[in-house]
Amino acid sequence: MDRLKIATVWQGGCFGCPMSFLDMDEFLIELAGSVDIVFSPIIDVKEYPEGVDVCLIEGAVCNRDNLEQLLKIRERTRIIVSFGDCAVTGNVPAIRNQLGLENAENVLQCAYIEHAQDNPTLPRDNGIVPELLERVRPVHEFVPVEAYLPGCPPSAPKIRALLERALAGLPLKLEGEQLKFG
Ligand code: SF4
C-alpha cells in the first residue's frame, strides 16, 4: 500500500496548533513509519506538491497570499482538514472583523499609523506584508473541506484520532457531511 502523503500548512494563526501536533510524542514516530510529510513549514519544500492525501490547514484566511495558497492546496489535495479554531471559525485573527474598522485599509491605518511610536509608515507594496483581505474568514468559506478539528489548539489525542482514521483508510467525509473531531 502506498504511504499516505501528508501536508501541514500555517495560515493566519499562532504556533499553538503545530505545537499540539508535536505533542503527539511517540505517535509521531509511528506516523513517520507510515506516512510521508511532503509539505510543512518544518521541512524545506517551497512548492506545494501535487497528489497530497491529507492536508491539515491551521489558521484563518487573512490575506491574498493565504488565499492563493489555499486555492492551490484545494486543487492538489484529496482531504483538507480545517485544523484548529482559527481555521474553523476565524477565531483570534478574525477579531479585527469586530473592531468597527470596516475594511483592510482602516486596519492598516490603525496598526501602522495611529498606534505607531516611531516612523508611522504603511507597509504598502513592500513585498513583506501581503495585501490584507477586507475581512478575515475561515477556510471553508473559500474552499470545501472534508473534516473539522476544532480547538484552540485541538488536543494531541484528537489529532491522533483523526490521523489514525485517515491511516486506516476510513473516510473523513460521510455522505456529504464533514466529520467533526471535537
Ligand atoms: Fe493559535 Fe488557537 Fe488559532 Fe491554533 S486555534 S492557531 S492555537 S489561536
Side-chain angles (χ1 to χ4, degrees):
M1 188 177 134
D2 288 345
R3 288 161 64 89
L4 216 56
K5 294 186 177 68
I6 290 188
T8 66
V9 171
W10 305 350
Q11 297 223 311
C14 75
F15 203 64
C17 286
M19 290 306 289
S20 199
F21 186 91
L22 296 175
D23 273 350
M24 289 192 293
D25 298 332
E26 77 277 0
F27 180 67
L28 288 172
I29 298 168
E30 199 180 312
L31 201 59
S34 42
V35 307
D36 289 326
I37 304 289
V38 293
F39 186 85
S40 169
I42 58 172
I43 65 171
D44 190 23
V45 175
K46 305 290 186 231
E47 176 71 11
Y48 191 88
E50 303 270 358
V52 175
D53 293 306
V54 180
C55 180
L56 304 179
I57 300 184
E58 176 232 345
V61 188
C62 302
N63 60 49
R64 291 275 161 217
D65 286 6
N66 293 156
L67 182 55
E68 285 170 17
Q69 183 187 49
L70 181 60
L71 296 176
K72 183 183 288 185
I73 289 168
R74 182 64 283 179
E75 283 175 13
R76 300 180 177 185
T77 309
R78 191 162 56 85
I79 295 167
I80 287 182
V81 179
S82 190
F83 177 38
D85 283 351
C86 291
V88 174
T89 69
N91 198 30
V92 176
I95 288 172
R96 81 160 157 94
N97 296 348
Q98 313 300 325
L99 294 179
L101 297 172
E102 295 176 7
N103 58 40
E105 181 64 25
N106 290 350
V107 171
L108 292 174
Q109 287 284 341
C110 177
Y112 287 93
I113 304 294
E114 293 165 27
H115 292 92
Q117 291 182 326
D118 298 305
N119 190 27
T121 311
L122 286 176
R124 217 189 294 282
D125 302 327
N126 63 4
I128 299 172
V129 178
E131 181 189 350
L132 296 183
L133 299 180
E134 293 299 311
R135 294 176 67 79
V136 174
R137 296 185 185 281
V139 169
H140 67 271
E141 289 197 12
F142 290 102
V143 298
V145 304
E146 280 71 37
Y148 294 96
L149 194 51
C152 184
S155 69
K158 283 185 194 169
I159 303 169
R160 176 174 176 166
L162 182 141
L163 290 173
E164 284 178 332
R165 192 174 173 92
L167 282 170
L170 296 171
L172 298 184
K173 186 172 186 177
L174 302 174
E175 296 176 4
E177 292 189 5
Q178 293 91 348
L179 284 189
K180 186 173 172 185
F181 292 78

